[in-house]
Amino acid sequence: MTTREKLDALSGNMWWSWSPKARTLFEQLNPLIYAQTDNNPKAALAAADEDVLDDAEFQSDVDSVYDEFQTYMDQEPHFDDAPRTAYFCMEYGLHESMQLYSGGLGVLAGDHTKAASDLGLPFTAVGMFLREGYFHQSFDADGWQQATYKPLNPDHHPVTPVTDENGDRLIIDVHAGEQPIHVRAWKLNLGRTDLYLLDTDFDANPTELRKLTRRLYQGGNQQRIRQEVVLGIAGLRLLRELGIESDVYHANEGHCAFLMLELLRERLEQGELRVEAEQWVRDHCVFTTHTPVPAGHDRFSPDLFAKEMNTFRESLGLSVDELMKYGRVHPGDHSEPFTMTVLGLKMARASNGVSKLNGHVARQQWEGMYPDRELDDVPIGSITNGVHLPTWTCQPARDFLADHLGGDWLDKRHEEDAWHALADLDDEVLWQYRTMLRTRLHDYINTKVRTQSLPMTPELDPDALTIGFARRFATYKRAPLIFSDLERARALFSQADRPVHLIYAGKAHPADDGGKRFIQRIFEISKQDGFEGNVIFLENYDMEIGRMLVSGSDVWLNNPRRPLEASGTSGQKIAAHGGLNLSVLDGWWPEGFDGDTGKGKNGWAIGPQPSGDYGTEDPAVQDREDAASLYEQLENSVIPTFYDRDAYGVPTEWVNMMREVMTGLPAPFSAKRMVIDYVNRMYLPEPVES
Ligand SMILES: *Cc1c(COP(=O)(O)O)cnc(C)c1O
């Protein structure tokens, strides 16, 4: 094969999204085009510099990455007997060049699918071909967020049209009321798994239906229910047309739960009794709920549901009330809306939240569905999220880990023992590692701000404590909490001998003015004395900014209003890079943190231990108490520990904390561990303890 052919093959499989070496090759082909297209390999290859292609050293790099890819594709599967799994999700965060995600749910689904590929599972994923996806963030002169959309060009992505046996585009029909929605699909190669993306944006559909697969989370409830019909019902029909058989169907969050009604329809069509059909569906479906915010669940009024689902309902031969009962907490209440999460919970043999605390909150939230049960017996378990380390660990960190853990560290990353060798590293070695990664982040920030619309003038000191805060700017995440007491905050950032940098990134949903005001406030603060140069907002948070921040930050700050963070995964991404968490004990952190409150051996807690009883706290009191605790930790512990140096300039206690983190957190909070748990506890018909 020629170099170009090998690059062509590599660009055709998003395996490159977790191979930094592969990505570097594409960048070298045309750095300008690569950067302009959000790091898109196919776009760079189409505009490749011939001199680079002819370069002998480059060619040999291509050979070795190509061999690595082949070896990956040919690996033995981890399980001999894994069930064939169909996985459905509204969004997928795979790489910054493909805006099929808005935040944590998408990134989690991407990481789940990638880990399924690593494990060689028989696994097929289904999602939406969101041509405009989520928005690109910029700002006006007042620091007010602006949203623009860059349409995705299929030629520049490893997707191929799905066709029937005659080579014609396969079209699936579903209905919005009486009106047909024509759905076609694209197949995306993601390592050893396939991701099918559903698309209504073509000329067989009128404009309003074409829009269904353009953008994430836009439009009203009518648009939403139609999108969910496409995802759940057309998604399953597509798998049937393709002859892809599954032993288990995993609905990741409520958006896709209509797949369960389509399974029910299939059984009824074959003449099964309704009770038998329901049991069959329940025996073959599992469901994950991520949403502790009551308003975050999709709910459809009886009128809208009856109208939009009419054709489908008739094909089931059920009355409106009979169909509605699958989505009602109280089936007899004719005014109750249809809730997608209720459908998921009712029709799955097993359901889970995404951290232990989130599982508990979900049991509280849905207790009313199970009037005969005690709270602890509500059938919702938990599998704590993890992150796909090959995606989130930067190349310099990979090199460091390979040097100290052995070249096969990625294969063993889900085993805690595999990380223990890091405990023996010298203080200086660990501190150099941290300094190298922080410096790399600073270089990135200095370059990045030059091209952004929001003016920023970083004055970064390579040895200064660098705190990262990046996530969706949903208001419950309280991004500006640290500025609650502006003078106390100013004092933190104004100590000449103990500089502190705080780097922000994040998008507010286009309809969320509260979130936009948070960004605007941070922008205004970033221009004030004491903060200027130290408080930086990086615009257009995406997976590239995410990778940089989680690798370079010394501290990862997370201060959501508990218990609204279902898991949060960004804090898990920092562990292999030796970053420390400073976080409210919400989501995954109560499981990761090894202390009680305040300072532990592996990080810090903001505020008290979880009480187990939620919904009773006064948010204003919570905000005040958490802010006070955050200041206390920073003033008395985080900053002093960072600047408490030995004779060689190394902060020995800090480095000890890094050791705890790097040996203890990456394995249990890896997506590989998570997907193995899903197989053992959810996908296999009889759960096994791993
Ligand atoms: C990891 C990640 C998220 C999710 O992290 P949270 O901690 O849940 O906010 C969201 N967006 C991007 C770009 C990420 O990398």
Side-chain angles (χ1 to χ4, degrees):
M1 275 171 100
T2 66
T3 297
R4 191 183 271 279
E5 282 165 351
K6 287 184 176 177
L7 287 167
D8 207 47
L10 286 170
S11 74
N13 188 312
M14 277 183 94
W15 174 80
W16 55 253
S17 69
W18 63 96
S19 167
K21 282 189 177 149
R23 293 201 303 274
T24 301
L25 293 175
F26 290 109
E27 180 177 17
Q28 285 172 293
L29 289 172
N30 190 327
L32 189 67
I33 294 290
Y34 186 76
Q36 281 171 356
T37 55
D38 299 313
N39 309 334
N40 187 313
K42 277 186 177 281
L45 182 57
D49 182 337
E50 293 295 333
D51 291 344
V52 177
L53 282 171
D54 291 340
D55 181 81
E57 198 180 326
F58 180 80
Q59 292 181 343
S60 105
D61 289 345
V62 172
D63 291 342
S64 87
V65 170
Y66 184 79
D67 289 347
E68 207 185 306
F69 172 56
Q70 292 301 321
T71 306
Y72 176 85
M73 296 299 280
D74 296 339
Q75 257 174 61
E76 287 296 311
H78 181 91
F79 292 92
D80 298 327
D81 56 350
R84 295 166 300 179
T85 304
Y87 180 87
F88 286 64
C89 190
M90 180 64 90
E91 43 173 311
Y92 288 85
L94 305 174
H95 183 254
E96 58 271 15
S97 59
M98 223 182 183
Q99 274 296 330
L100 305 180
Y101 64 97
S102 76
L105 175 68
V107 172
L108 188 267
D111 280 10
H112 189 120
T113 309
K114 290 170 180 180
S117 163
D118 296 344
L119 292 163
L121 295 185
F123 189 93
T124 306
V126 178
M128 302 283 264
F129 190 77
L130 300 157
R131 197 176 284 266
E132 297 184 349
Y134 207 51
F135 69 97
H136 183 279
Q137 179 190 51
S138 60
F139 292 89
D140 71 11
D142 299 324
W144 192 249
Q145 176 180 288
Q146 310 291 309
T148 50
Y149 293 85
K150 287 195 204 170
L152 175 160
N153 173 357
D155 295 343
H156 283 168
H157 296 278
V159 292
T160 44
V162 175
T163 53
D164 61 19
E165 61 269 25
N166 302 323
D168 297 326
R169 207 65 205 241
L170 190 65
I171 308 283
I172 310 285
D173 280 353
V174 288
H175 288 85
E178 267 64 54
Q179 193 182 10
I181 310 175
H182 307 292
V183 186
R184 60 182 193 180
W186 305 79
K187 180 178 153 209
L188 184 143
N189 303 316
L190 187 70
R192 300 194 280 177
T193 58
D194 297 326
L195 167 57
Y196 288 95
L197 297 167
L198 303 157
D199 180 14
T200 65
D201 194 3
F202 60 107
D203 52 17
N205 289 310
T207 309
E208 66 183 286
L209 297 182
R210 292 184 66 151
K211 280 190 190 161
L212 293 179
T213 58
R214 277 201 199 144
R215 295 181 182 178
L216 260 180
Y217 311 136
Q218 295 261 304
N221 260 353
Q222 185 183 57
Q223 165 131 342
R224 183 65 73 88
I225 194 172
R226 291 175 173 181
Q227 286 182 317
E228 297 183 355
V229 163
V230 170
L231 178 60
I233 300 176
L236 187 67
R237 290 182 185 170
L238 174 76
L239 297 184
R240 295 292 185 254
E241 288 289 332
L242 294 172
I244 295 171
E245 292 187 34
S246 308
D247 303 308
V248 59
Y249 301 84
H250 182 178
N252 190 40
E253 192 53 306
H255 312 117
C256 51
F258 283 147
L259 87 92
M260 296 167 177
L261 294 183
E262 172 64 5
L263 286 168
L264 185 73
R265 192 197 60 76
E266 289 181 340
R267 309 305 295 183
L268 294 176
E269 188 178 49
Q270 289 166 23
E272 259 181 30
L273 291 175
R274 196 166 356 141
V275 280
E276 290 169 1
E278 287 174 357
Q279 192 55 46
W280 190 95
V281 176
R282 235 171 259 129
D283 287 343
H284 291 82
C285 289
V286 300
F287 176 62
T288 303
T289 175
H290 300 244
T291 310
V293 191
H297 297 268
D298 284 323
R299 289 191 167 83
F300 302 117
S301 72
D303 285 350
L304 178 74
F305 187 86
K307 182 164 153 287
E308 291 296 326
M309 301 298 284
N310 196 40
T311 304
F312 181 74
R313 180 185 62 73
E314 284 176 351
S315 69
L316 278 149
L318 299 179
S319 71
V320 173
D321 271 327
E322 282 172 325
L323 187 57
M324 287 285 294
K325 87 171 183 9
Y326 293 108
R328 280 179 170 154
V329 176
H330 306 289
D333 177 355
H334 300 289
S335 63
E336 187 182 322
F338 188 97
T339 304
M340 295 301 278
T341 305
V342 173
L343 170 62
L345 292 171
K346 284 195 177 180
M347 299 307 279
R349 70 165 182 237
S351 299
N352 70 297
V354 291
S355 65
K356 287 192 175 131
L357 193 151
N358 177 240
H360 176 82
V361 172
R363 286 190 289 279
Q364 277 188 344
Q365 204 175 5
W366 300 108
E367 198 179 359
M369 277 176 66
Y370 311 92
D372 303 336
R373 296 196 183 217
E374 297 291 316
L375 178 62
D376 287 341
D377 296 327
V378 169
I380 306 175
S382 70
I383 292 183
T384 302
N385 284 346
V387 293
H388 187 243
L389 288 167
T391 294
W392 295 106
T393 311
C394 65
Q395 189 60 47
R398 286 173 167 231
D399 293 342
F400 178 89
L401 295 169
D403 281 350
H404 298 292
L405 298 177
D408 61 346
W409 73 277
L410 269 175
D411 294 336
K412 296 188 298 189
R413 64 191 189 263
H414 59 299
E415 297 166 15
E416 282 199 61
D417 290 353
W419 297 82
H420 282 170
L422 299 176
D424 302 330
L425 293 183
D426 288 344
D427 287 2
E428 287 77 12
V429 172
L430 282 164
W431 191 238
Q432 268 171 16
Y433 176 60
R434 190 88 286 286
T435 305
M436 177 265 294
L437 293 173
R438 181 190 323 107
T439 309
R440 182 172 169 272
L441 170 63
H442 287 190
D443 292 344
Y444 174 80
I445 294 169
N446 285 325
T447 310
K448 193 79 185 166
V449 293
R450 283 189 224 134
T451 53
Q452 72 177 35
S453 63
L454 197 67
M456 286 289 148
T457 47
E459 287 167 39
L460 302 177
D461 172 343
D463 296 317
L465 172 64
T466 302
I467 304 176
F469 183 107
R471 46 185 54 82
R472 290 185 301 114
F473 265 54
T475 48
Y476 77 80
K477 297 184 188 244
R478 301 188 296 191
L481 188 72
I482 195 173
F483 303 119
S484 309
D485 178 340
L486 206 55
E487 292 322 307
R488 201 163 167 187
R490 204 186 309 273
L492 285 176
F493 288 93
S494 310
Q495 304 176 68
D497 55 337
R498 292 174 163 194
V500 177
H501 304 318
L502 174 54
I503 319 299
Y504 280 104
K507 296 175 178 178
H509 186 279
D512 179 12
D513 283 349
K516 291 185 213 174
R517 275 193 291 275
F518 276 5
I519 302 178
Q520 194 175 39
R521 179 164 151 77
I522 290 167
F523 171 58
E524 278 159 9
I525 287 170
S526 79
K527 293 184 288 188
Q528 294 183 12
D529 272 356
F531 299 115
E532 194 179 9
N534 289 324
V535 173
I536 304 297
F537 189 95
L538 292 180
E539 81 184 17
N540 198 38
Y541 181 40
D542 65 3
M543 288 177 68
E544 176 190 86
I545 291 178
R547 282 196 306 278
M548 294 305 303
L549 282 174
V550 298
S551 57
S553 299
D554 298 303
V555 169
W556 195 251
L557 174 61
N558 187 22
N559 45 234
R561 192 176 284 145
R562 192 164 65 202
L564 300 183
E565 188 78 280
S567 166
T569 54
S570 51
Q572 302 172 347
K573 298 169 190 164
I574 69 170
H577 300 98
L580 308 182
N581 277 280
L582 166 60
S583 171
V584 167
L585 286 165
D586 198 7
W588 75 284
W589 189 228
E591 292 162 64
F593 182 55
D594 64 2
D596 180 28
T597 54
K599 186 179 194 173
K601 288 202 286 266
N602 68 355
W604 292 270
I606 300 167
Q609 276 282 327
S611 67
D613 191 20
Y614 305 102
T616 54
E617 299 96 332
D618 176 350
V621 173
Q622 239 183 318
D623 291 356
R624 213 168 37 241
E625 290 178 355
D626 288 346
S629 168
L630 170 59
Y631 289 126
E632 214 168 284
Q633 293 310 316
L634 285 167
E635 290 162 355
N636 300 331
S637 191
V638 179
I639 298 174
T641 308
F642 187 86
Y643 285 108
D644 181 14
R645 303 300 169 93
D646 71 5
Y648 304 96
V650 175
T652 46
E653 198 185 338
W654 192 278
V655 170
N656 279 336
M657 293 176 81
M658 286 175 59
R659 258 191 210 101
E660 292 292 328
V661 166
M662 295 175 75
T663 53
L665 295 182
F669 299 102
S670 66
K672 192 165 176 187
R673 185 278 308 155
M674 169 182 75
V675 174
I676 291 172
D677 279 353
Y678 271 99
V679 173
N680 286 329
R681 294 169 46 198
M682 305 282 282
Y683 298 166
L684 284 166
E686 299 294 330
V688 297
E689 279 311 315
S690 47

